[in-house]
Structures are given as C-alpha cells and as structure tokens.
Amino acid sequence: MNFVDPVRMCSECSVVTKKENEFYDKHLKCLITGSFFMLSAADADEDNIVTYVKLTANHRTIMFNEEKPDRESTKTSRWVYDPVDVINIQNLNIETTGDTSHGFMPKAAVLKYKYLDNSKEVILKVPDDNSKKQSMAWIVALQKAVKMLMSSKET
C-alpha cells in the first residue's frame, strides 16, 4: 500500500501490506527487468528458443521477446511467443535441482495459463550462461507474485 504518511490498519491488513511491501521492494524490479530463458511450448514454432522474458511496466503482462529491449526502445524486438496476461495464470510449477543440504535452485518454471477457452503451458528453462543467476531470481520472483495472486483470488 506504500502510504506517505502513517496509516492505521487492522492486524490482518497489516500482515498483507507487509508482504506486499516486501514483494514490491525485493521482487518486482527483478520481474520488470527480465531475464533470458530457453522457451518451450507445445504451440511454439521451435523448441528451446532463447527468449527475453519480462513483466511489462504496468505489471499486467509477461512478454517473450527475441532480445533484451534497449533503454530508449528505439529498436523493435520480435515476439517469440504470445504475451501472457498475469491475471490468466492458473498454476506455476518450479523444477529444481540440488539437495536439502545445499538448498534447491530453480532450473525451470512451467507456467500454466488460460488462453481463450483452453489452458496452455509454457516452459521457461534457466540457461547455462552468464544470465543464470538473474534467471533463477526471476523465477523466484514470479513464484512470489503467483502466490500473492492466488491468495488474493481465494479471498
């Protein structure tokens, strides 16, 4: 809720607000910045397409572009896959690697979403290059966002 002046709220609302503020401070920037992934989908033109995935500035759509957009947005980038509206996300499964002693690290995300009257899935695999750390952070941030969305749909 990020109010400028202190605001009184009930304890239930303060817990939700604290989680939202933590998400906005730690994870939203990562989603908007984006990262590279290997994209696979049943209806994609190719398998394991290198794509730059990011959340739009209005926080409503996940875009799958051919390359990382430049700051001035002077060059156009071709879509690799149709955009996904965040509100249409139905499920997110994270595939991990590692063990309990060293911790689990995300290696892929399977995003299930509603498209017209059907459900579609897109698989985002973490590439094995210098963008690996950013890609794993992006998956963790997406997981937090989906958890917040699902909990808000339930209430």
Side-chain angles (χ1 to χ4, degrees), residues 42-154:
D43 59 341
D45 296 337
E46 302 172 32
D47 206 25
N48 289 327
I49 307 165
V50 176
T51 183
Y52 193 79
V53 182
K54 69 182 218 111
L55 184 68
T56 56
N58 66 6
H59 312 159
R60 294 182 181 186
T61 308
I62 298 174
M63 300 293 292
F64 305 92
N65 294 319
E66 186 175 40
E67 58 190 36
K68 183 177 181 178
D70 62 344
R71 286 184 179 258
E72 292 80 33
S73 298
T74 55
K75 62 181 178 180
T76 57
S77 181
R78 168 178 87 82
W79 285 0
V80 174
Y81 192 74
D82 290 332
V84 173
D85 289 333
V86 173
I87 196 75
N88 291 332
I89 294 175
Q90 297 174 324
N91 194 9
L92 177 69
N93 289 322
I94 309 294
E95 297 177 13
T96 59
T97 182
D99 57 27
T100 54
S101 62
H102 295 99
F104 295 101
M105 298 192 335
K107 67 176 184 177
V110 181
L111 185 64
K112 184 178 179 181
Y113 62 97
K114 184 179 177 184
Y115 182 77
L116 299 176
D117 292 333
N118 301 323
S119 288
K120 286 188 171 186
E121 280 188 358
V122 62
I123 302 169
L124 302 172
K125 298 176 190 167
V126 173
D128 198 21
D129 60 14
N130 59 355
S131 66
K132 184 176 185 175
K133 187 176 180 181
Q134 177 67 18
S135 298
M136 288 189 296
W138 198 91
I139 288 176
V140 170
L142 182 63
Q143 182 181 26
K144 300 255 185 201
V146 170
K147 276 185 184 178
M148 284 178 53
L149 281 172
M150 296 302 170
S151 67
S152 70
K153 284 181 182 179
E154 291 172 2

